[in-house]
Amino acid sequence: MFMNAMRRDEETDASAAISPDHRTFLVVVDQSAELRAALRYACRRAVATGGHVALLHVSQPAEFEHWMFVGKRMRDEAREDAEEVLQRTASLVGRMTGRMPALFVREGNPTEELLTMLEEEPNVSIVVLAAGMGGDGPGPLVAALTGKHAHRLRVPLTIVPGHLSDADIDEMAT
């Protein structure tokens, strides 16, 4: 069951799962290899501080709008894929923290959707991202949030080096 999912056009309210009394570590879920590092760090910090983890998945909007049915089908498939990825990730968070995370699904530009979500969810305390592991730089979201969009962040941004081992992350996060 997909719990606490949220889109702006749905009535489901995931913010009820985010407590104002505890830190909430928000991790953006994608298909990158470095997600593992950000997720582990956020889970370890949540356990160490009595906090919570929230997960955000942003799907790119469907580009195929020539036929309404095809465009809707592509959006539905993207939504299903996002829910599947979030469920697997949420299960992992549950095993690491003993608590299920709040889950959010958005469609659009990842940077804009993250910043909009932070405006709408005042109980998110910290955004945790991992830097890219290759020579191509830190990744587009990290680059955007540390560059031209840095002034729009209202919470701290923690960037975990994506190449760190689990043992290194555990040592840093406790």
Side-chain angles (χ1 to χ4, degrees):
M1 169 72 54
F2 188 66
M3 57 184 277
N4 298 330
M6 183 179 124
R7 288 190 338 199
R8 283 184 293 249
D9 61 338
E10 290 183 352
E11 296 297 318
T12 306
D13 185 11
S15 60
I18 298 179
S19 170
D21 301 329
H22 298 94
R23 284 185 175 168
T24 298
F25 298 86
L26 177 65
V27 178
V28 179
V29 176
D30 58 17
Q31 301 291 351
S32 69
E34 55 270 7
L35 170 63
R36 174 204 56 80
L39 193 62
R40 187 169 190 94
Y41 181 86
C43 289
R44 294 296 191 237
R45 288 298 301 148
V47 169
T49 63
H52 304 280
V53 174
L55 303 175
L56 169 65
H57 186 283
V58 181
S59 299
Q60 297 292 333
E63 296 289 329
F64 198 86
E65 297 295 333
H66 297 316
W67 295 298
M68 188 174 7
F69 174 78
V70 174
K72 181 183 180 328
R73 179 71 182 143
M74 290 174 73
R75 279 190 301 280
D76 290 347
E77 287 176 2
R79 172 79 179 184
E80 290 171 14
D81 290 345
E83 290 177 3
E84 183 179 315
V85 168
L86 278 175
Q87 282 302 321
R88 283 193 313 264
T89 308
S91 177
L92 182 58
V93 170
R95 287 193 305 271
M96 286 196 282
T97 67
R99 303 176 76 169
M100 291 304 291
L103 305 176
F104 298 88
V105 173
R106 300 281 182 119
E107 182 179 315
N109 174 282
T111 301
E112 289 301 322
E113 291 301 321
L114 171 60
L115 292 167
T116 299
M117 186 186 152
L118 291 174
E119 291 171 9
E120 296 171 356
E121 295 296 330
N123 296 329
V124 171
S125 310
I126 298 168
V127 175
V128 179
L129 300 175
M133 296 187 295
D136 295 334
L141 192 54
V142 172
L145 295 176
T146 58
K148 72 178 192 176
H149 295 288
H151 70 281
R152 295 178 59 193
L153 283 171
R154 65 158 191 82
V155 298
L157 172 64
T158 299
I159 302 171
V160 180
H163 67 276
L164 293 178
S165 70
D166 289 350
D168 290 338
I169 294 169
D170 292 349
E171 186 176 320
M172 286 182 355
T174 55

